[in-house]
Amino acid sequence: MMYDTILVPTDGSKGANAAARHGLNLAEAFDSQVRFLSVVDDRTYSSGLAGIDSEANDQREALERQATDALGVLEELADETPSTYQTAVEHGVPYKVILSYADEHDVDLISMGTHGRTGLDRYLLGSVAERVVRTSDVPVLTSQSEPEENSGYDRILIPTDGSDTATAAVDHGLAIAEQYDATVHVLSVVDLSAVVGSYDVAPMIESWKERCERTVESVAEESENRGLDVVTDVVEGTPYRAIQQYIESEEIDLVTMGTHGRTGLGRYLIGSVTARTVRTSEIPVLTV
């Protein structure tokens, strides 16, 4: 069992409801328990005056009703599935509460929506979702759109550069592929921008390409050992653009990928290939 407990935070938004459906899909596949969480942001009212000031009390109660209503929507979704679930309303700074709740309840996966759009990119940076993805110790599935009814994940993309963080995502991608009998797509990108201006570029590109080919073949071998159909590809270009193009051309349903490096206790996501993929992807992205 890879995901015994799946946490779905909600703020009542469309994105949160979409994430709940994805979370419930995985819960059914892995026979997981689901925990729905709604956080009342103490910063939105004078929490120190609650219980003393009537206006602060009214604000708190209104926010608690909103949180309860948001959970009610997810309960209705869950009641249509065989999954068991629990609900909770907590108070505090949302991303901190989500992370501490995940830790306290031994959560194995967080499924949450992203919020709004700025131009072509969803407004993820600075949001609750971005902070959770960047600092979570457990995998986070971010999504924007709801899955089609009774649909699974038929084509799963695992982008990899052979790094430890990319390798960590492979096991998750393959485990999900096994549950859905999905075709695994393994992609590695020769980052041409990284060698621009270098002396004698051609041998560098060729060497990089060979490393990429060895990397995808290693994942392909593991996929085949698990009885999964697998497709591999090595392309040249800007990694996040190449990944997005591959998603569109191969009609990928889910991406699983690692985050890159660590800064203190938080995974360094901002500006990375993973961050750009999460921000621009129309399909769910599981970051590990």
Side-chain angles (χ1 to χ4, degrees), residues 141 152-161 166 168-178 180 182-189 216 219 223 228-235 238-258 273-274 277-278 280-288:
L141 180 73
Y153 307 108
D154 296 324
R155 293 169 293 277
I156 296 176
L157 173 62
I158 306 176
T160 179
D161 58 6
V170 171
D171 280 342
H172 289 269
L174 296 185
I176 295 172
E178 285 181 299
Y180 290 94
T183 297
V184 175
H185 292 251
V186 189
L187 175 68
S188 197
V189 184
V216 298
V219 179
S223 302
L228 296 167
D229 292 333
V230 61
V231 177
T232 65
D233 200 3
V234 173
V235 300
T238 303
Y240 85 91
R241 288 199 182 104
I243 291 169
Q244 195 60 48
Q245 288 168 1
Y246 193 94
I247 289 170
E248 293 170 3
S249 65
E250 298 298 325
E251 298 181 336
I252 299 297
D253 301 307
L254 173 72
V255 182
T256 67
M257 60 193 306
V273 176
T274 304
T277 302
V278 168
T280 58
S281 177
E282 298 288 342
I283 64 170
V285 178
L286 179 65
T287 53
V288 180

Side-chain angles (χ1 to χ4, degrees), residues 195-274:
V195 297
V196 170
S198 300
Y199 175 74
D200 208 8
V201 169
M204 294 177 63
I205 293 176
E206 189 59 31
S207 175
W208 197 331
K209 190 172 183 179
E210 289 174 2
R211 289 199 305 272
C212 287
E213 287 170 350
R214 288 195 298 270
T215 297
V216 298
E217 285 307 316
S218 174
V219 179
E221 184 177 350
E222 176 62 23
S223 302
E224 290 166 353
N225 288 341
R226 299 192 188 199
L228 296 167
D229 292 333
V230 61
V231 177
T232 65
D233 200 3
V234 173
V235 300
E236 298 177 5
T238 303
Y240 85 91
R241 288 199 182 104
I243 291 169
Q244 195 60 48
Q245 288 168 1
Y246 193 94
I247 289 170
E248 293 170 3
S249 65
E250 298 298 325
E251 298 181 336
I252 299 297
D253 301 307
L254 173 72
V255 182
T256 67
M257 60 193 306
T259 53
H260 297 271
R262 281 184 176 268
T263 303
L265 296 176
R267 288 180 287 178
Y268 179 67
L269 180 71
I270 298 176
S272 73
V273 176
T274 304

Side-chain angles (χ1 to χ4, degrees), residues 37-55:
L37 172 67
S38 192
V39 183
V40 176
D41 191 340
D42 285 346
R43 298 169 300 179
T44 58
Y45 71 97
S46 302
S47 58
L49 298 177
I52 302 172
D53 180 80
S54 60
E55 185 174 344

